[in-house]
Amino acid sequence: MNEQSTVRLLAVDLDDTLLREDLTISDDNKQALIKAEEAGVTVLLASGRVFEAMHHYADELGMTARPGYLISNNGGTITRSATGELVSRKTIEPGLAQQIYEAVKTRSFPTEIYRGRSVYVDRDNSWTDIDCSLSGLTKKIVPDFAKTLAEEPPVKIVVPGDPEALETVQAELTEMFGDTLTIFTSKPFFLEMLPKDADKGQALAYLAQSLGIAREEVMAIGDSCNDLAMIQWAGIGVAMVNGNEAVKAEATYVTSRTNEENGVAEAVEHFILH
């Protein structure tokens, strides 16, 4: 896709992409996205966060006052931004969720799931505290975690922990469940597991098709491994310069500015507002 091609759909990651380290959106980034919309581009937010931890950003960008979409749970859920209507939700089958939990527990790691504005975790740990501080969600320690899993199929299961230790766990869980799950790290200390047919790339493709927008007319901006699928799928895949090296290697374009320096605005100006 050349730089003069028309972008009709723009997907933007939140953490370490649109958001600064203090978890706010800069005025430059905000104005760039507003101008993109005024130019006829549909802007959507695509995050590993749950809907409840994204909604206030959508509101700040004016997305709750117009038709639009939020891809949450790393592609596990798609919601209409204006109405909160659920468009798509993929879950992990209860029996498989129990198997995952037992495998994680055997390796002495905590396990998280998300319900509403809460992070349910089977044991207290400092990594879940980081999750809550980033997302604004409330931690709930649930000793009978297996029972909680059985009550409602989770969209995703998260294993928080030391990054080096998680590398080994990721390899082991991928060997066990790689045929039935999408497994990746969103941040180095969060290992995430979703249904095989759920990631940001597949969610973005679904939305583009439903809107009648060609792949070549789609742009995606992100920084981490959970953004890789949408960056690979989009006609223009943009990686933040502060992003993961593997993600940057797959991108059409790498920003010269970080998330602290309005890297999203740079990409929007380069490809859309030129």
Side-chain angles (χ1 to χ4, degrees), residues 58-78:
D59 190 36
E60 182 179 348
L61 293 168
M63 297 175 64
T64 55
R66 61 166 177 78
Y69 301 91
L70 300 179
I71 293 175
S72 54
N73 290 301
N74 279 319
T77 310
I78 303 173

Side-chain angles (χ1 to χ4, degrees), residues 186-219:
S186 50
K187 287 185 176 292
F189 37 81
F190 297 143
L191 176 62
E192 305 205 10
M193 288 165 279
L194 289 88
K196 193 67 174 178
D197 59 350
D199 59 44
K200 290 187 184 182
Q202 293 182 80
L204 185 57
Y206 173 84
L207 273 179
Q209 183 179 18
S210 67
L211 294 170
I213 296 174
R215 179 177 183 176
E216 292 75 20
E217 299 172 309
V218 179
M219 177 173 163

Side-chain angles (χ1 to χ4, degrees), residues 48 72-77 90-93 96 100 104 154-159 169-186 190-203 224-230 232:
S72 54
N73 290 301
N74 279 319
T77 310
K90 301 180 184 298
T91 59
I92 299 173
E93 184 271 324
L96 177 58
I100 296 165
V104 173
V155 175
K156 67 176 181 178
I157 293 175
V158 175
V159 182
V169 176
Q170 180 174 1
E172 293 173 351
L173 293 178
T174 299
E175 185 174 350
M176 295 174 67
F177 303 110
D179 292 339
T180 52
L181 295 172
T182 298
I183 303 174
F184 55 83
T185 53
S186 50
F190 297 143
L191 176 62
E192 305 205 10
M193 288 165 279
L194 289 88
K196 193 67 174 178
D197 59 350
D199 59 44
K200 290 187 184 182
Q202 293 182 80
S224 192
C225 292
N226 61 326
D227 300 311
L228 184 58
M230 73 172 183
Q232 289 174 324

Side-chain angles (χ1 to χ4, degrees), residues 110-263:
T111 305
E112 295 179 359
I113 59 172
Y114 301 83
R115 301 260 172 93
R117 296 201 58 82
S118 298
V119 181
Y120 286 64
V121 62
D122 66 335
R123 69 191 75 173
D124 199 9
N125 70 94
S126 61
W127 302 103
T128 297
D129 293 335
I130 294 174
D131 193 353
C132 291
S133 68
L134 290 172
S135 64
L137 301 178
T138 302
K139 178 175 65 177
K140 288 191 177 182
I141 302 171
V142 184
D144 194 351
F145 199 77
K147 180 181 177 182
T148 301
L149 276 178
E151 291 172 351
E152 180 184 332
V155 175
K156 67 176 181 178
I157 293 175
V158 175
V159 182
D162 175 77
E164 289 188 12
L166 281 184
E167 287 183 12
T168 301
V169 176
Q170 180 174 1
E172 293 173 351
L173 293 178
T174 299
E175 185 174 350
M176 295 174 67
F177 303 110
D179 292 339
T180 52
L181 295 172
T182 298
I183 303 174
F184 55 83
T185 53
S186 50
K187 287 185 176 292
F189 37 81
F190 297 143
L191 176 62
E192 305 205 10
M193 288 165 279
L194 289 88
K196 193 67 174 178
D197 59 350
D199 59 44
K200 290 187 184 182
Q202 293 182 80
L204 185 57
Y206 173 84
L207 273 179
Q209 183 179 18
S210 67
L211 294 170
I213 296 174
R215 179 177 183 176
E216 292 75 20
E217 299 172 309
V218 179
M219 177 173 163
I221 310 176
D223 71 288
S224 192
C225 292
N226 61 326
D227 300 311
L228 184 58
M230 73 172 183
I231 286 173
Q232 289 174 324
W233 183 84
I236 298 177
V238 177
M240 301 294 291
V241 70
N242 53 280
N244 181 283
E245 292 300 323
V247 176
K248 290 192 280 188
E250 293 292 322
T252 307
Y253 177 84
V254 178
T255 65
S256 62
R257 291 185 256 160
T258 69
N259 61 312
E260 288 291 315
E261 303 164 327
N262 307 311

